[in-house]
Amino acid sequence: MRLILLGAPGAGKGTQAVNLSKRLNIPHISTGDIFRANEGTELGRKVKQIIDQGMLVPDDLTVSIVKDRLKKDDCKNGFLLDGFPRTIPQAVQLDEVLREMGAELDAVINLNVPDEVIVRRMAGRRVCKGCGMSYHIVSNPPKSEGLCDVCGEELKIRDDDKEQTVLERLKAYYEKTEPLVEYYEKKGLLLHFDGTKDITETTEEIMDKLLKE
Ligand code: AP5
Ligand code: MG
Ligand code: ZN
């Protein structure tokens, strides 16, 4: 399946993507994770400045990274895009890339979560330094405090999870990303979900709907 996960920052895209990519056996591609994994490189330093201000990385750079990633063999049978596209121009360019590949999207999963829930979630989020897995100190804690369940590495607070930056990210979401809801609705691809339910319940709802499509 070829899928996109859409939703505001902190809506739970990364959390659902981990579950869905396992269940559907497709690679999880998060542009945010790719940028953070490049921290030591020149690209990483350049984008970190932008990310830590809560702004979006330029479209051309982001699209070229995704384009390269989609060419890899593991994307032949599908993929799950998390946090991409995030602007109308990115979505238009993705359509073009897919056309070149002779591929089509199956669905766009939209996670709805109100702003006040998002701000609470970000305040308690911890992410793994090693694999990028997200936890929450209250709603989704790791088995042993401060350590990743998957790889055992230390958990840390993301630099862009400061409240002021979260508000900037929300602003960028409403200005640039929310119009994608209508974009994909018009294409008949959008599936809506209530992202405030618990994590496994949401995964089950998404799986049910996808398999019925
Ligand atoms: P990115 O890393 O994509 O950040 P984001 O979209 O702001 O989303 P987050 O990763 O913060 O949240 P999420 O929806 O994945 O939620 P999570 O599952 O962690 O991007 C970072 C930056 O990179 C951007 O700001 C931008 O600068 C740049 N960038 C990335 N892609 C770009 C693009 N395409 N174009 C331009 N720039 C780009 O969950 C959040 C918390 O809630 C966690 O603590 C989790 O444990 C908890 N939680 C999750 N689900 C539930 C639940 N159901 N109930 C209770 N708690 C839950
Ligand atoms: Mg994420
Ligand atoms: Zn880890």
Side-chain angles (χ1 to χ4, degrees), residues 2-205:
R2 297 182 184 88
L3 304 169
I4 291 174
L5 260 167
L6 207 60
K13 301 182 297 295
T15 303
Q16 292 304 325
V18 170
N19 293 349
L20 295 171
S21 96
K22 255 187 234 148
R23 296 275 289 268
L24 296 164
N25 197 23
I26 49 177
H28 166 202
I29 303 172
S30 155
T31 38
D33 286 350
I34 294 173
F35 292 141
R36 283 184 292 276
N38 276 288
E39 243 177 38
T41 68
E42 204 186 314
L43 165 84
R45 277 190 293 275
K46 210 169 92 186
V47 298
K48 189 170 183 342
Q49 280 187 344
I50 302 173
I51 291 174
D52 287 353
Q53 292 178 60
M55 296 184 327
L56 296 182
V57 174
D59 288 337
D60 288 349
L61 176 60
T62 308
V63 171
S64 78
I65 285 172
V66 173
K67 199 171 171 179
D68 286 346
R69 181 64 188 86
L70 290 178
K71 279 186 193 144
K72 300 230 161 98
D73 270 356
D74 64 340
C75 294
K76 285 219 169 84
N77 297 318
F79 49 79
L80 176 56
L81 290 169
D82 157 12
F84 179 92
R86 234 177 171 93
T87 64
I88 296 280
Q90 288 182 16
V92 171
Q93 291 193 62
L94 174 65
D95 286 344
E96 220 161 275
V97 172
L98 291 176
R99 206 166 27 244
E100 282 166 19
M101 290 168 68
E104 267 180 43
L105 289 170
D106 292 290
V108 176
I109 298 159
N110 188 40
L111 295 173
N112 286 305
V113 177
D115 289 4
E116 59 282 8
V117 179
I118 284 172
V119 172
R120 258 201 319 273
R121 281 188 185 176
M122 305 301 235
R125 175 160 61 180
R126 299 292 181 272
V127 294
C128 173
K129 277 184 181 174
C131 70
M133 183 82 179
S134 274
Y135 299 86
H136 190 280
I137 49 175
V138 180
S139 63
N140 183 26
K143 292 195 180 82
S144 47
E145 202 186 318
L147 298 176
C148 178
D149 292 350
V150 181
C151 72
E153 279 264 8
E154 228 177 285
L155 304 184
K156 62 164 214 167
I157 299 177
R158 250 168 65 174
D159 288 337
D160 60 344
D161 275 352
K162 293 188 192 77
E163 188 167 346
Q164 192 51 44
T165 315
V166 171
L167 298 177
E168 286 300 324
R169 285 159 63 195
L170 276 170
K171 215 167 95 194
Y173 168 77
Y174 286 113
E175 272 172 25
K176 308 261 176 61
T177 311
E178 207 193 20
L180 292 178
V181 171
E182 201 191 319
Y183 182 88
Y184 288 116
E185 207 142 45
K186 278 192 182 145
K187 288 179 181 279
L189 288 170
L190 205 76
L191 303 174
H192 284 284
F193 296 91
D194 174 357
T196 64
K197 295 188 181 171
D198 80 40
I199 293 169
T200 46
E201 200 183 339
T202 305
T203 307
E204 292 313 320
E205 279 187 8

